[in-house]
Amino acid sequence: MAGLGLAATDLAAGAAPASSSSPPLTAAAGAACEAGDDQIYRPPGGVPVEPGRVIACRETQLPHVPGNIPMRAWKVQYSSKDNAGRGAAVSGTVAVPKAEWKGPGSRPIVAFNPGTLGLGPQCAFSKQLSGAYQDEYEGENIAALLKAGYAVAATDGMGYLDGQTHPYVSGHDAGHALLDIARAAPAVPGSGLDPKTRIGLWGYSEGGAASLWAAQLSASYAPELKVVGTASGGVPGDLKVVAKGLNGGAFAGFLADAVIGLAAAYPDMPFAEILNDEGRKAVQTAKSHCLAGTLANFAGQKIENFSTDKLTLEQIYALKGSSGKSWGQVIDEQKLGVGIGPKGSGAKYEIGFPVMQYRGLFEEVIPIETEDATRKAYCSAKVTTQWKTYPGEHLTTDQLAKDDAVKWLGDRFEGRPEFGNCLLP
């Protein structure tokens, strides 16, 4: 498979797609990542049936990962599945330290989901890490993983290809995309990664929800992956609680992204038809900005301003789509900690590895009651859970927890036991 981005893109366009029973794709000797940058972000003509296949790749530099760490890095486009099980192509970044791995077994992979970056196409994490635009704030997290010797498979999340909309806060979309970049990373030519290596999951805020969804889905969606733990911080576990807290406040931009993102994830639900002129303008504003611009444009805005009938959140939740399902039901389906249990429990979502959850003591974006409730749900379900709080607000806690999260994942890679601290208040 020489020249991924040429041959692999042809595969996605219809030439002998992989069957669902195919073995994991591995990098062929002599293959190269030669796709143009435009190919990484262009939707392919078709998506391989098998999720986690490399569709296109190109080697890149990551100037916004600090520390001048010797590494090889690639932008990738890979196959995944959306919340309805349809094939979807996703973009992301794979980075591998050049330093020899001296730990046990083969080099581990950390599948990383960034926090909220915005809906604009320029906001994709892979574009920002490679220097095209700068609004991201987690380059130091990537650096910490690389310094520890781990490979990084960082998804952009679905919806950053040309003409698409990121399905922000859609749980299954996020979980699938994160698990599938872990599947895809060893197939990148030159990565030297083992498809049977240990996998860690990590994310904060939007990424915290995504990594917990990946943890909940891993046993059923990607049972071949050797996931050993997830570190998930600042988790917006119950979107109804989060929406109520955001509406009309300084961080209402997150709510705007969530409404637009869920409408993209569930196109049969009522959305465009209920918007007024201000609402239609708001959609275009959100789709063209990244984090800072979105927060600035929507600060203080209320959801009632954007529909013809001035609908409240509760009234929107009552609206039904063509299937008869209401918006309230769709949003409840995104709630974390529901239907979970340890391996062998028979729960809908069996989690066979420990979980680390954390938040800031001065959290001002996500209501702390939902973060605490997600932790309690995991503990009540007897999923081994380590909980920690940090003396920071939402953004600074991401960095305050960085070293602890990397060390915690390292302990899981080395097979050290984790008993959790659910018995603590």
Side-chain angles (χ1 to χ4, degrees):
M1 187 181 292
L4 280 169
L6 301 175
T9 301
D10 293 341
L11 171 67
S19 72
S20 60
S21 59
S22 299
L25 184 65
T26 55
C33 287
E34 298 174 348
D37 204 61
D38 59 335
Q39 287 179 273
I40 300 296
Y41 303 104
R42 181 192 307 147
V47 179
V49 172
E50 184 78 7
R53 295 272 167 156
V54 175
I55 299 172
C57 58
R58 65 175 280 115
E59 196 151 4
T60 190
Q61 302 295 316
L62 303 181
H64 290 302
V65 173
N68 296 316
I69 303 162
M71 72 175 92
R72 291 189 71 184
W74 301 263
K75 290 184 176 182
V76 296
Q77 185 188 107
Y78 61 97
S79 60
S80 188
K81 291 187 181 295
D82 69 10
N83 66 82
R86 298 173 294 232
V90 186
S91 53
T93 305
V94 173
V96 182
K98 288 185 176 180
E100 179 184 358
W101 171 248
K102 297 181 180 180
S106 54
R107 188 190 302 274
I109 299 170
V110 176
F112 183 86
N113 200 110
T116 302
L117 294 174
L119 301 183
Q122 75 277 20
C123 310
F125 196 46
S126 61
K127 290 182 179 180
Q128 296 204 47
L129 289 178
S130 61
Y133 178 84
Q134 185 55 198
D135 199 356
E136 65 83 19
Y137 44 88
E138 292 185 298
E140 290 188 3
N141 292 10
I142 304 302
L145 292 169
L146 294 170
K147 287 177 182 177
Y150 310 137
V152 176
T155 184
D156 291 341
M158 292 189 187
Y160 282 108
L161 303 189
D162 297 342
Q164 298 179 349
T165 300
H166 177 47
Y168 184 66
V169 300
S170 175
H172 280 66
D173 290 286
H176 291 169
L178 189 56
L179 291 167
D180 284 329
I181 198 168
R183 284 167 154 164
V188 174
S191 71
L193 298 173
D194 179 359
K196 296 182 179 180
T197 195
R198 294 144 297 165
I199 306 294
L201 310 171
W202 187 19
Y204 184 79
S205 194
E206 178 189 357
S211 56
L212 270 192
W213 267 112
Q216 293 187 176
L217 294 168
S218 62
S220 58
Y221 182 75
E224 83 284 3
L225 290 180
K226 295 182 179 178
V227 181
V228 298
T230 181
S232 304
V235 178
D238 185 333
L239 296 184
K240 286 183 177 177
V241 174
V242 177
K244 183 178 179 180
L246 294 175
N247 194 31
F251 301 100
F254 293 120
L255 178 57
D257 280 356
V259 170
I260 297 165
L262 285 171
Y266 295 88
D268 63 328
M269 298 300 295
F271 178 62
E273 62 268 36
I274 68 173
L275 297 176
N276 59 19
D277 287 345
E278 191 172 351
R280 286 185 284 272
K281 186 183 299 183
V283 170
Q284 295 309 310
T285 297
K287 285 186 176 183
S288 62
H289 285 84
C290 294
L291 176 61
T294 300
L295 293 178
N297 275 280
F298 287 93
Q301 292 282 359
K302 301 193 74 173
I303 197 75
E304 292 86 342
N305 297 337
F306 301 120
S307 64
T308 53
D309 294 326
K310 304 297 182 183
L311 298 174
T312 65
L313 283 168
E314 293 299 328
Q315 289 171 324
I316 292 171
Y317 296 154
L319 299 177
K320 293 183 178 181
S322 57
S323 68
K325 183 181 293 187
S326 71
W327 264 125
Q329 289 173 301
V330 168
I331 294 169
D332 283 340
E333 288 173 357
Q334 317 310 316
K335 187 175 180 179
L336 284 155
V338 177
I340 61 172
K343 184 177 180 179
S345 65
K348 181 179 181 179
Y349 302 121
E350 292 190 0
I351 303 172
F353 45 81
V355 170
M356 175 186 179
Q357 294 185 40
Y358 54 96
R359 69 164 173 85
L361 289 170
F362 306 108
E363 171 69 65
E364 84 288 25
V365 177
I366 298 169
I368 61 172
E369 58 261 39
T370 186
E371 296 180 276
D372 292 352
T374 301
R375 177 250 184 166
K376 290 177 182 176
Y378 269 69
C379 288
S380 296
K382 302 188 185 309
V383 176
T384 301
T385 304
Q386 180 66 228
W387 171 257
K388 189 165 184 179
T389 56
Y390 293 87
E393 39 66 64
H394 189 72
L395 185 60
T396 57
T397 296
D398 189 11
Q399 289 302 304
L400 289 171
K402 167 176 58 67
D403 292 340
D404 284 348
V406 173
K407 182 182 184 303
W408 188 88
L409 288 169
D411 288 343
R412 307 290 75 74
F413 293 140
E414 293 184 14
R416 294 194 177 101
E418 170 62 84
F419 302 105
N421 58 359
C422 283
L423 295 179
L424 297 178

